[in-house]
Amino acid sequence: MKLWAGRFQKEISQTTNDFNSSISFDSRMYKEDIQGSIAHATMLGKCGIIDKDQSVLICRGLNEILEDIESGKLQIDMTAEDIHTFIEGELTKRLGDAGKRLHTARSRNDQVAVDIRLYLRNQIDDLKLQVRNLIEVICNKAEQYSDTVMPGYTHLQRAQPITFGHHLMAYAEMLLRDLSRLNDTQKRMNINPLGSGALACTTYPIDRTITTELLQFDGMTRNSLDGVSDRDFCLELASALSIIMVHLSRFSEEIIMWCSWEFKFIELDDAFSTGSSIMPQKKNPDIAELVRGKSGRVFGDLQGLLTAMKGIALAYNKDMQEDKEAVFDAVDTVKMCLTAFTPMLDTMTVISQNMRNASAKGFINATDCADYLVKKGLPFRDAYKATGTLVAICIDKGLTLETLPLEEYKAVCDIFDDGVYEAISLEKCVKERNPYGGPANVLKAVKEVRTLL
Ligand code: ARG
C-alpha cells in the first residue's frame, strides 16, 4: 500500500514501482530513519501536537522495529517504495492509529534529508579513523626508514637524493589535508533540515530546536526550500573522497613501480599479492592496481552527482533520489580501498640496498657537486656547466661522480680538490638538506604529524 494512495484510483504498475523504488539502496539507512522519527515523535509530543502517550507509544514501537530488524526477526520488504515508507507502514501495522500520527508536520522530503545527513555523518567518522590509521602506518615506516637514501625524481628521472622516509611522509601530508576536508564536510553537513516539511515548513507549532538537540546537530537550516533541496554535503563528500582516491592512486602507482624488477625498491607481502594463472614466476601488486583503478569509480560518482543536481528547480525533485547510490558507492569504495591498502603498506619489505644502488648511478649528487664549486667561489652558472661536462665524461667512461679520478675533475676545473668526494657523498648530501620541510628532517616531521593526529 502506498503512503499516497488516497488520490489514486489504481494500484501502481509493477514496472513503475520497480523504477521508482529506492529501497534496494536506501534500506541501509533504517537506523537513521528510525532515529530521526523518534526525535520527530518526541518533539510532536512535547509541543502538544500529538498526545504525550501516543508519542511514547510511537517511540517504543520504533525502538522495537529497530531491535527486530537488527536481530533478523523483521525482514525489510524489498518491494516497498523506500525505507521511510516501510518503517512507517510497519509501525502502523503494529500500533494502528498511533502509527498513523507519526508523519504529522513532516514530509518525506525533510525526512530523507535528515536521514542522509545522519548516515553520512557516521560514515565520515569511520572514514576519518581509516585515514588516520593509514597516516600512522606511514609515520611508523617513515621513522624506520628516516635515513634510507633513495633517489628523488622529477619527470621520473633521478633528480636529487632524498630518504625513503621523506618520500613516504609526502603522502602523510596529503592524507592530513584529506582528514581536514572530511572534517569540514562533516561540519557543514551537521545542520538539521527537519521541520522544512515538503518545502514550506508547516503550520503546526513545531519546535525545531528539540529535534536539533536530540539528533545532535550543530544548528538548523535557515531556509526550508534549501533545507529539502540541498545536497551540497553529498557533493562535498564525494569530492573529498575523490581527492583521497587521487592520493591513493598516485601512491599505488609508485608501489607498483617500486615492486617491478626494474626498481625492486620494495616487495609486498605474499598475503597482499597475487600470482598468475600461467606465468609461475609472477607476483603481482593487484591491490595497488585495483585501488588505482577504483579511483575511476569514485570520480564517476562525483561527476554523476554534479550532473544530477545541476539543473533541478527548487525544491525537492525525484532526481535527488539519485544522490544515494552515488555517494554510498563513493563511501563504500574508499572504505574498501583503505581496508586493503593500509595493511599492504604496513607489511611491505623495503629493500634499502636497491634504493642506495639506484641513488649511486643516477648522478643525483650533480647539484651538490656544482654547489661545492659555488662554495669555493665559482658563480653558479659556471659551476653548473663544469659539472655537466663532468657528467658527460662519466657517462662516456662508464663511471660515476664518486668513481671519477681527481685528475679528470681538475682537467675540467682546477678549483677541485680531494674534498669533492666528501661533498658529493650521498649521505652528506641528504643530511645537509636540512631546512624545515627537507629530507633531513623526517623525524621532526613525523613528530609534528603525530601531534596533529
Ligand atoms: N526515496 C526518496 C528519495 O530518496 C524519498 C523522498 C521522497 N519524496 C517524494 N516527494 N517523493 O529522495
Side-chain angles (χ1 to χ4, degrees):
M1 188 60 166
K2 292 284 172 263
L3 293 172
W4 31 267
R7 186 227 192 275
F8 290 78
Q9 314 289 329
K10 276 193 198 168
E11 278 289 310
I12 193 169
S13 83
Q14 181 70 45
T15 46
T16 307
N17 192 59
D18 291 348
F19 185 63
N20 193 49
S21 168
S22 55
I23 196 146
S24 63
F25 48 86
D26 67 18
S27 61
R28 62 162 82 191
M29 304 194 300
Y30 69 87
K31 208 187 287 173
E32 290 75 16
D33 191 71
I34 289 174
Q35 195 188 353
S37 288
I38 289 176
H40 179 66
T42 308
M43 183 278 292
L44 291 178
K46 280 196 171 158
C47 296
I49 299 168
I50 62 173
D51 287 345
K52 271 256 164 61
D53 50 342
Q54 299 262 302
S55 159
V56 171
L57 221 62
I58 292 173
C59 292
R60 192 182 309 145
L62 286 166
N63 273 321
E64 280 165 13
I65 291 176
L66 179 61
E67 269 167 40
D68 291 351
I69 292 177
E70 306 228 290
S71 71
K73 212 166 116 192
L74 175 63
Q75 292 293 321
I76 295 176
D77 173 10
M78 284 300 160
T79 65
E81 189 178 335
D82 52 31
I83 189 64
H84 327 294
T85 311
F86 171 73
I87 287 171
E88 191 187 326
E90 180 63 26
L91 188 73
T92 303
K93 228 191 274 170
R94 293 180 182 203
L95 302 183
D97 268 3
K100 293 191 210 158
R101 294 189 199 279
L102 168 63
H103 210 55
T104 315
R106 185 176 73 168
S107 158
R108 265 186 306 166
N109 297 351
D110 56 350
Q111 183 178 1
V112 72
V114 142
D115 291 5
I116 326 172
R117 286 171 196 249
L118 293 175
Y119 179 82
L120 293 179
R121 180 174 85 178
N122 292 336
Q123 292 298 311
I124 293 178
D125 278 337
D126 295 351
L127 284 160
K128 287 198 303 197
L129 200 72
Q130 282 193 297
V131 173
R132 223 175 271 137
N133 282 343
L134 176 53
I135 298 177
E136 268 160 25
V137 166
I138 292 174
C139 283
N140 295 342
K141 291 271 166 220
E143 199 168 41
Q144 198 178 346
Y145 299 102
S146 64
D147 49 20
T148 302
V149 175
M150 77 177 272
Y153 297 82
T154 61
H155 313 272
L156 202 52
Q157 300 289 320
R158 290 172 190 158
Q160 290 182 340
I162 57 168
T163 61
F164 189 52
H166 192 56
H167 195 113
L168 289 175
M169 285 308 284
Y171 286 101
E173 296 295 335
M174 299 175 221
L175 291 161
L176 270 181
R177 290 193 295 276
D178 289 327
L179 259 189
S180 110
R181 264 184 287 273
L182 288 174
N183 272 325
D184 285 349
T185 306
Q186 201 176 32
K187 223 185 303 159
R188 266 187 294 277
M189 177 185 293
N190 202 29
I191 302 292
N192 182 16
L194 200 58
S196 299
L199 75 160
C201 278
T202 174
T203 53
Y204 292 99
I206 58 171
D207 182 351
R208 296 184 63 202
T209 62
I210 296 176
T211 52
T212 300
E213 218 163 275
L214 286 174
L215 297 172
Q216 292 173 327
F217 281 112
D218 297 327
M220 49 193 153
T221 52
R222 200 168 13 243
N223 181 295
S224 61
L225 293 172
D226 182 53
V228 290
S229 64
D230 166 36
R231 293 293 184 273
D232 289 4
F233 54 92
C234 295
L235 299 176
E236 271 194 73
L237 179 55
S239 88
L241 293 175
S242 294
I243 299 173
I244 293 180
M245 289 308 292
V246 170
H247 296 153
L248 292 183
S249 183
R250 289 183 81 172
F251 206 166
S252 295
E253 167 65 13
E254 298 212 280
I255 286 171
I256 293 160
M257 279 192 313
W258 293 337
C259 282
S260 72
W261 281 105
E262 283 68 20
F263 278 81
K264 258 301 165 247
F265 285 181
I266 62 166
E267 181 146 353
L268 295 179
D269 192 84
D270 281 0
F272 297 95
S273 311
T274 53
S276 155
S277 61
I278 170 170
M279 297 166 282
Q281 85 284 12
K282 290 290 287 275
K283 181 170 170 186
N284 297 328
D286 283 30
I287 289 185
E289 290 168 34
L290 263 177
V291 168
R292 188 178 57 183
K294 281 182 190 293
S295 62
R297 287 177 75 107
V298 180
F299 306 162
D301 292 328
L302 171 62
Q303 193 60 46
L305 275 168
L306 289 166
T307 313
M309 289 305 297
K310 80 174 180 62
I312 45 185
L314 297 181
Y316 178 85
N317 296 265
K318 193 73 168 204
D319 316 42
M320 289 163 67
Q321 181 166 285
E322 288 289 310
D323 60 355
K324 283 168 232 47
E325 274 170 301
V327 78
F328 293 167
D329 182 70
V331 167
D332 293 349
T333 305
V334 172
K335 283 170 90 171
M336 208 159 54
C337 288
L338 286 165
T339 303
F341 190 92
T342 304
M344 174 192 73
L345 190 75
D346 198 20
T347 53
M348 73 180 172
T349 306
V350 175
I351 310 172
S352 306
Q353 192 53 47
N354 287 349
M355 294 186 183
R356 184 69 182 70
N357 294 346
S359 307
K361 282 182 205 143
F363 303 104
I364 63 178
N365 45 7
T367 316
D368 302 274
C369 178
D371 289 343
Y372 159 86
L373 291 174
V374 169
K375 282 171 198 159
K376 284 183 160 296
L378 215 60
F380 179 74
R381 272 297 152 230
D382 293 337
Y384 174 97
K385 197 165 164 223
T387 309
T389 309
L390 288 166
V391 168
I393 294 171
C394 286
I395 292 172
D396 192 43
K397 304 200 157 168
L399 296 172
T400 64
L401 287 174
E402 289 91 328
T403 52
L404 188 71
L406 189 58
E407 308 84 73
E408 299 275 2
Y409 275 101
K410 280 189 173 298
V412 171
C413 176
D414 55 11
I415 300 180
F416 278 113
D417 63 30
D418 237 7
V420 67
Y421 296 107
E422 155 84 6
I424 61 165
S425 110
L426 290 175
E427 281 66 25
K428 185 170 147 67
C429 295
V430 169
K431 262 202 198 91
E432 291 195 346
R433 295 187 139 70
N434 59 8
Y436 188 79
N441 273 320
V442 175
L443 294 178
K444 199 161 156 197
V446 168
K447 208 168 142 210
E448 280 189 29
V449 168
R450 281 191 180 134
T451 334
L452 284 171
L453 281 184

